[in-house]
């Protein structure tokens, strides 16, 4: 990892991959550096973004691309998960054709994970692949979806069912864009940061845990007020993701630990039809279940598990009413991460060390779900009472 300084914008660089390596630059105000960081591309650029992000950042990004002598077109899409669909993929591809883009033209994904996944997928299939630049503007996209090369869309039949592994040529993370991110969206990204700490880096987890314990209702303000901590946490998370995907691009083994809390979380999202929880919120719920299961199955020390559970309990969460252990378990068995008919769980041996496990009993899984749902309901009653 190298530090680059230019003008008043300090950037940290993390390289991802062993062949076709690409850089992730992280900094505050790094959008100012887009012009000189662009990899060599053809003459045209299409910026794909959504309405919320376009209003705030599209003029700056388009300007920076023009300064790099590119002809710039943009496509502004409706915000939200529904945009990650065949219909909008067609819209992006049609715009690329109409704009006369070639195989050398660059697609710039400016926005959260929805825009990143959709535009990334479009770049991967347009004329069998054209250059891609990711400019993630949500915390979740900065620490997770923009790094690692997974792109895709949802089908009517399920989430992320069509997609590709396709690496960008550049990821530019500007921490300043988080200023305008709604607090709840910020929290969802914070959840992914907690995940990296729990599975891979105890010191990162401890730093974040302390923020969560002190400012559970003001995570965004607390992190923005401490730019050093924010930048350190994002950089560590990106480094962890880079290390894991470099070792296991196609999710054969090690990359699976990134799914910590996700098998449970996906079931909660699906059973509430993606309307109640943001992904990160469901992941926190799922991480509590996974931590309880780690203790129940004898892996994680009970006291350590209890501490993590107490901290996760402070994370702001929608109500869990209506979720039940058995339907959740049935839903989990439909997960695409099933192997040979067995559910694979990511569990903790200790804080900072995750393992994959296929040998836990149904009874233990149901108990970990039940305890978590009861705990969440009690926390909610306590807040109201
Ligand atoms: N490819 C991967 O590896 C990967 C990993 C994790 C998640 N994902 C995908 O990411 C998607 C979720 O991404 P997300 O959480 O970023 O959601 P999102 O893209 O829907 O963005 C959340 C909201 O924040 C708004 N927004 C974005 N940046 C903003 C800013 N700086 N200021 C103000 N508003 C802003 C957006 O307009 C949107 O309303 C899901 O579809 C998920 O499947 C992909």
């Amino acid at each position: 990892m190298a530090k680059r300084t230019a003008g008043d914008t300090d950037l940290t660089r993390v390289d991802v991959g062993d062949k076709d390596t690409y850089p992730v630059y992280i900094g505050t105000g790094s959008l100012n550096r887009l012009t000189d960081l662009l990899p060599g591309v053809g003459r045209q650029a299409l910026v794909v973004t959504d309405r919320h992000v376009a209003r705030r950042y599209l003029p700056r990004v388009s300007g920076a691309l023009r300064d790099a002598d590119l002809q710039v077109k943009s496509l502004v899409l409706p915000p939200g998960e529904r945009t990650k669909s065949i219909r909008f993929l067609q819209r992006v591809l049609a715009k690329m054709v109409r704009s006369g883009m070639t195989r050398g033209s660059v697609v710039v994904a400016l926005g959260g994970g929805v825009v990143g996944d959709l535009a990334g997928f479009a770049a991967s299939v347009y004329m069998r692949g054209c250059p891609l630049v990711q400019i993630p503007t949500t915390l979740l996209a900065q620490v997770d979806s923009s790094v690692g090369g997974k792109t895709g869309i949802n089908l009517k039949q399920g989430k992320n069912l069509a997609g590709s592994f396709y690496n960008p040529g550049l990821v530019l993370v500007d921490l300043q864009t988080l200023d305008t991110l709604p607090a709840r969206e910020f929290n969802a990204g914070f959840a992914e940061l907690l995940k990296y700490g729990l599975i891979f880096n105890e010191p990162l987890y401890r730093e974040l845990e302390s923020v969560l314990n002190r400012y559970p209702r003001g995570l965004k303000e607390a992190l923005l007020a401490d730019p050093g901590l924010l930048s350190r946490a994002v950089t560590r998370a990106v480094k962890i993701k880079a290390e894991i995907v470099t070792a296991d691009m196609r999710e054969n083994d090690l990359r699976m630990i990134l799914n910590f809390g996700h098998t449970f979380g996906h079931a909660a999202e699906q059973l509430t039809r993606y309307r109640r929880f943001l992904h990160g919120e469901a992941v926190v719920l799922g991480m509590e279940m996974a931590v309880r299961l780690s203790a129940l199955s004898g892996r994680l020390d009970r006291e350590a598990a209890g501490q993590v559970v107490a901290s996760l309990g402070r994370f702001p969460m929608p109500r869990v009413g209506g979720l039940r252990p058995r339907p959740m378990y049935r839903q989990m068995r439909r997960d695409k991460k099933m192997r040979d008919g067995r559910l694979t769980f990511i569990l903790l041996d200790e804080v900072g060390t995750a393992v994959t496990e296929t040998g836990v009993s149904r009874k233990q899984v149901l108990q970990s779900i039940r305890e978590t749902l009861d705990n969440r309901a009690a926390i909610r009653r306590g807040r109201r009472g």
Side-chain angles (χ1 to χ4, degrees):
M1 196 170 74
K3 254 205 168 202
R4 282 183 57 152
T5 313
D8 53 0
T9 313
D10 246 9
L11 296 184
T12 301
R13 173 182 169 142
V14 180
D15 287 324
V16 189
D18 45 9
K19 334 182 246 237
D20 302 328
T21 304
Y22 60 93
V24 181
Y25 287 100
I26 302 158
T28 302
S30 55
L31 279 183
N32 300 334
R33 298 283 309 279
L34 176 57
T35 308
D36 54 298
L37 292 175
L38 262 187
V41 291
R43 298 182 45 236
Q44 280 151 313
L46 175 68
V47 186
V48 181
T49 185
D50 75 25
R51 259 197 324 270
H52 295 153
V53 179
R55 226 179 39 224
R56 294 163 171 115
Y57 305 108
L58 181 57
R60 264 173 79 194
V61 167
S62 298
L65 295 169
R66 283 195 193 97
D67 289 346
D69 288 332
L70 289 166
Q71 294 163 15
V72 184
K73 293 269 171 28
S74 58
L75 181 61
V76 180
L77 300 171
E81 188 71 28
R82 278 161 171 262
T83 297
K84 239 177 80 171
S85 63
I86 289 266
R87 184 168 148 235
F88 285 100
L89 174 67
Q90 164 68 30
R91 283 261 298 269
V92 178
L93 294 172
K95 176 83 181 181
M96 293 172 79
V97 176
R98 278 201 310 277
S99 311
M101 288 179 71
T102 65
R103 200 179 268 174
S105 308
V106 60
V107 173
V108 179
L110 171 67
V114 164
V115 161
D117 279 10
L118 173 75
F121 190 36
S124 78
V125 294
Y126 186 73
M127 296 192 174
R128 301 199 173 81
C130 65
L132 169 68
V133 168
Q134 292 274 9
I135 306 183
T137 60
T138 62
L139 183 55
L140 180 134
Q142 294 180 348
V143 299
D144 192 359
S145 58
S146 67
V147 179
K150 279 192 190 174
T151 77
I153 56 170
N154 306 323
L155 302 182
K156 265 202 210 100
Q157 291 75 7
K159 206 168 137 62
N160 294 329
L161 286 184
S164 61
F165 286 101
Y166 193 70
N167 284 335
L170 164 72
V171 182
L172 190 61
V173 173
D174 188 342
L175 299 172
Q176 221 161 45
T177 59
L178 300 177
D179 289 357
T180 57
L181 189 66
R184 196 175 163 206
E185 298 288 350
F186 188 95
N187 292 352
F190 186 90
E192 296 286 346
L193 285 176
L194 283 171
K195 178 195 78 178
Y196 285 113
L198 283 169
I199 60 170
F200 216 75
N201 187 313
E202 187 184 0
L204 172 62
Y205 174 71
R206 295 296 170 208
E207 265 195 297
L208 298 169
E209 179 190 48
S210 136
V211 176
L212 180 56
N213 289 344
R214 279 180 298 153
Y215 310 105
R217 300 269 139 194
L219 296 173
K220 177 180 165 183
E221 290 75 14
L223 262 91
L224 292 187
D226 188 345
L229 171 59
L230 177 64
S231 156
R232 204 161 53 244
V234 169
T235 304
R236 277 199 217 151
V238 169
K239 280 185 75 183
I240 293 169
K241 180 133 191 201
E243 193 176 320
I244 292 174
V245 301
T246 299
D248 179 21
M249 171 76 179
R250 287 184 174 262
E251 200 169 84
N252 294 316
D253 189 15
L254 182 61
R255 192 166 177 169
M256 285 187 71
I257 71 168
L258 293 171
N259 294 323
F260 180 62
H262 283 56
T263 305
F264 292 105
H266 280 154
E269 285 181 283
Q270 283 156 354
L271 290 172
T272 51
R273 296 164 190 248
Y274 296 97
R275 288 192 191 129
R276 194 186 302 174
F277 300 101
L278 293 182
H279 177 66
E281 293 167 341
V283 166
V284 170
L285 197 64
M287 290 197 295
E288 178 173 337
M289 293 170 184
V291 167
R292 287 180 187 273
L293 185 57
S294 305
L296 280 172
S297 61
R299 285 192 169 276
L300 181 64
D301 171 78
R302 279 181 186 261
E303 199 184 321
Q307 267 179 19
V308 176
V309 161
S311 297
L312 294 181
R314 297 190 172 93
F315 187 92
M317 179 73 66
R319 68 189 177 85
V320 296
L323 288 175
R324 302 263 178 275
R326 280 168 206 276
M328 270 193 72
Y329 186 76
R330 274 197 297 275
Q331 190 65 41
M332 284 158 65
R333 293 192 57 84
R334 293 191 198 121
D335 197 282
K336 63 178 187 286
K337 309 252 161 32
M338 286 271 290
R339 270 189 182 176
D340 307 327
R342 304 183 76 139
L343 270 170
T344 305
F345 289 95
I346 314 303
L347 300 181
L348 298 184
D349 270 347
E350 49 192 47
V351 171
T353 308
V355 288
T356 51
E357 168 69 87
T358 50
V360 289
S361 73
R362 176 175 180 272
K363 191 170 159 219
Q364 287 172 337
V365 177
L366 287 172
Q367 188 179 340
S368 64
I369 299 174
R370 187 173 308 111
E371 286 178 3
T372 303
L373 295 176
D374 289 350
N375 182 40
R376 273 292 163 183
I379 291 170
R380 204 169 174 84
R381 278 197 302 275
R383 267 197 202 119
R384 271 205 242 111

